[in-house]
Amino acid sequence: MHVVITVRRHGDREYRSTLVRTSYREGGKVKKRTLANLSHLPPATIDVVRRSLAGETLVAADERLVVQRSWPHGHVAAALGTARQLGLEAVLDSTPSRQRDLVLAMVVARVLTPASKLATSQLLDTTSLGRTLGVSDASEDELYAALDWLVEHQEAIEQRLAERHLEPGGMVLYDLTSTYVEGEHCELAKRGYSRDGKPSQPQIEFGLITNAAGDPVAIEAYPGNTADPATFLDQVPKVKDRFGVEDVIWVGDRGMITSAQVAQLRQLSGLSWVTALRAPTIQQLVEAGSIQMSLLDTHDLAEVTDPRYPGERLVLCFNPLLAAERAQRREDMLQATERELAKVSAMAERGAAGGRAGLHGQAAIAERVGRVVNKHGMAKHFVRTITDASFSYRRDEVSIEREARLDGFYVLRTNVAAGRLDTAGVVLAYKSLAHIERAFRHFKLGDLEVRPIYHYRERRVRAHLLLCLLAYWLQRTMERKLAPLLFADEAPPERPNPVAPAPRSAAARRKEQHKQTEDGLPVQRFRVLLQRLSTIVKNRVLAGQAGSAAAFDLVTLPDALQARSFELLGVNLTAA
């Protein structure tokens, strides 16, 4: 049943009737029957009938209202609404299921409150997330089972991401990082070069593929002792054969796409790359005369060729800010090393004088020197003399000067034709690796808390990494949409100089200075804004007498900042 208003005209007069009607089928046709005429009733009474027939629960004004339960809701509505805009559910699986809902809940929870799977299961009912997705009762075991489901769907998920984010002829960024593991039983955990500063801890490594804009596509876990270049050649067939994307330009740093990898890439047709040369190789080119530093006297980039790199272009770059930064860092490390060496020298003197706390003999002195001399990577810049009774040292000024000549200089190499990627484009392509570095910071430094890893089974480690990739995609999308309320630069200007640091727009500098937008709203970091949104609460309200009370949900009204946030996200708070 429903309420309708009919309008009839007779001459200059208009007659309006308010009717209660029902619809039914007869002989395959939809027909309507009028049950009552409400035209004589007051408008307020008609509105009560209309709303009641529409399914609303109405209570008398003097009935008792009780808030039965309240859940923080605004941040959930923002993240879940954005996930649905992205079509994240369809990316996970086209068929609805309990497992898909659990994974979606874990992805959103990873953005809102990163925690272990046990803690996540316990927290699902502390916000509106669990109730909205119907997973409030999920146990830790269910979440682990959902992780197993997720890793089984990893190839299909990455295929869908590749279809969205990669295109033939475009750029593909790839880099590798590591994260430490707690415990000794993880199948992938090995001791290797630690980027976390924890060399004594076992670790796993993972490589990330994105497009040129930094949108994530795929993630791969490796044992913790895997060398960077060894992982790169795994990714090439993944993009070309599995994803079906050809003629791409691979961009990787100097430790990733090495000369050995380039030699193998040459055997594969249709592959292009942009990478950089290591400092010793640059020094060799300078000494051979292939690179003339005078080329950069008036410009900060130039292009040369060298017979040792047939079919390739070498792009020389000079960044004076980077030069000053490296010179200062080297001086700081030299001084730090000298302080350590001075302690060893004093211990040798005490040993020569017969002191108990001194070092006695050449072997003991050499062992202690070896422990400290390369603590800051400066052993190459010191000349050391060790005898049975003394230790002396001095800076190797020739070595320091030789290294200092290259401060601020770097050389990029590529086989991409100039007609496809000009000199400035080569530099910008290499600098786009900053997108992956930013992703790794989000993964590891608090936002998504990928580390430490507590999982022992390889498939759970892989699922955990994929979960973090999806959460990063969601958070990155939210941050871009919310940029006007964050310290981010929502409209960065074009870079007039590809070598120099990226300029910030006047609007971004104004936000940094005044800490508010032009319309007076506060500017904050993403995590702070999420906290502000979480103060929007969904209440479960009971109305009426005990035992026969009607229940309904009531969401608190957003303030100006919250309303603007949902407007930027394009999410309807009342429908969430």
Side-chain angles (χ1 to χ4, degrees), residues 549-575:
F552 59 93
D553 289 338
L554 186 64
V555 177
T556 53
L557 294 175
D559 61 22
L561 174 65
Q562 294 164 338
R564 177 61 174 152
S565 299
F566 282 97
E567 179 185 347
L568 291 170
L569 291 171
V571 173
N572 186 345
L573 175 60
T574 59

Side-chain angles (χ1 to χ4, degrees), residues 49 218 246 253 257 340 354 362 365 367 387 410 450 511 548 558:
V49 174
E246 298 186 353
D253 66 21
I257 306 180
E340 297 291 337
Q362 187 176 28
I365 297 173
E367 190 276 333
T387 68
Y410 55 96
V450 73
K511 285 195 298 184
S548 61

Side-chain angles (χ1 to χ4, degrees), residues 30-45:
V30 177
K31 295 187 175 183
K32 297 179 181 180
R33 179 185 299 120
T34 300
L35 303 178
N37 189 335
L38 308 181
S39 305
H40 61 286
L41 297 176
T45 304

